[in-house]
Amino acid sequence: MEETQPVPRVGVVLFVLKGKSVLLGRRRASIGESTFALPGGHLEFGESFEECGARELMEETGLVMGKADFLTVTNKVFLDKSKPCHYVIIFLRAVLADPNQVPQNPEPDKCDGWDWYDWDNLPQPLFSTLDEMGGLAVPFNLTKRSEP
Ligand SMILES: Nc1nc2c([nH]c(=O)n2[C@H]2C[C@H](O)[C@@H](COP(=O)(O)OP(=O)(O)OP(=O)(O)O)O2)c(=O)[nH]1
Ligand SMILES: [Mg+2]
């Protein structure tokens, strides 16, 4: 049987903001294992970026997404894995529908738990794509714009 060729996949990840804080969780996954990452996942057939972001946020944290807007996109090949992956990653910026919601951890096999971290005091190590996007320049770009 012919082997399937690997193809790029689309990821949608969210900077969920609350004031000067962003929602991060320590990953339990082969890509980015033990690093602090944003909530997000794979775009499913027919979904808009916002629908995907809201679905992944609910699945991973139990939180209901409020307004979201497009922030940036990266093209990333993860070659350091036994199974190389290629992702086009869409970054959205979002707020919660109700800022008083508390994040849950319904998928403890995928994440150690979610918490709010101040821009000025981000945990380490961050997921490689977040670092490569410019580290502290990312929050700077974000804070230059008003919240949605
Ligand atoms: N979740 C997340 N994914 C990221 C980040 N940065 C980044 O490049 N990605 C890329 C690599 C991930 O393998 C890819 C898809 O996200 P994921 O690995 O969390 O996917 P998932 O298992 O939750 O997806 P799914 O099967 O539930 O749809 O997006 C990030 O900060 N958070
Ligand atoms: Mg995920």
Side-chain angles (χ1 to χ4, degrees):
M1 196 201 271
E2 206 176 295
E3 217 175 282
T4 319
Q5 289 294 312
V7 292
R9 299 188 72 187
V10 179
V12 176
V13 301
L14 296 171
F15 285 93
V16 183
L17 302 182
K18 191 160 80 169
K20 276 189 74 203
S21 298
V22 61
L23 187 69
L24 294 167
R26 199 188 270 267
R27 274 171 78 81
R28 291 287 160 230
S30 61
I31 301 177
E33 168 64 21
S34 283
T35 63
F36 286 89
L38 304 166
H42 299 95
L43 186 71
E44 292 184 358
F45 188 88
E47 275 185 327
S48 69
F49 298 151
E50 289 77 11
E51 285 166 347
C52 176
R55 176 182 54 75
E56 288 288 346
L57 186 68
M58 173 55 70
E59 286 174 7
E60 296 186 350
T61 70
L63 297 169
V64 180
M65 192 181 86
K67 206 172 170 206
D69 62 3
F70 173 80
L71 193 63
T72 190
V73 60
T74 61
N75 184 35
K76 171 88 179 161
V77 183
F78 296 91
L79 284 179
D80 53 328
K81 298 289 150 206
S82 53
K83 191 174 163 228
C85 302
H86 181 176
Y87 280 100
V88 172
I89 306 144
I90 311 295
F91 290 83
L92 302 182
R93 179 180 57 162
V95 291
L96 295 180
D98 169 3
N100 296 318
Q101 294 172 88
V102 176
Q104 311 297 317
N105 192 23
E107 300 179 326
D109 51 322
K110 285 177 142 187
C111 178
D112 281 354
W114 300 96
D115 213 339
W116 300 100
Y117 294 91
D118 196 283
W119 286 130
D120 300 326
N121 197 12
L122 293 174
Q124 295 293 332
L126 286 175
F127 193 103
S128 59
T129 12
L130 297 178
D131 264 341
E132 288 158 18
M133 279 169 70
L136 292 176
V138 174
F140 177 69
N141 286 336
L142 288 166
T143 51
K144 272 204 302 190
R145 300 162 56 154
S146 56
E147 284 194 16

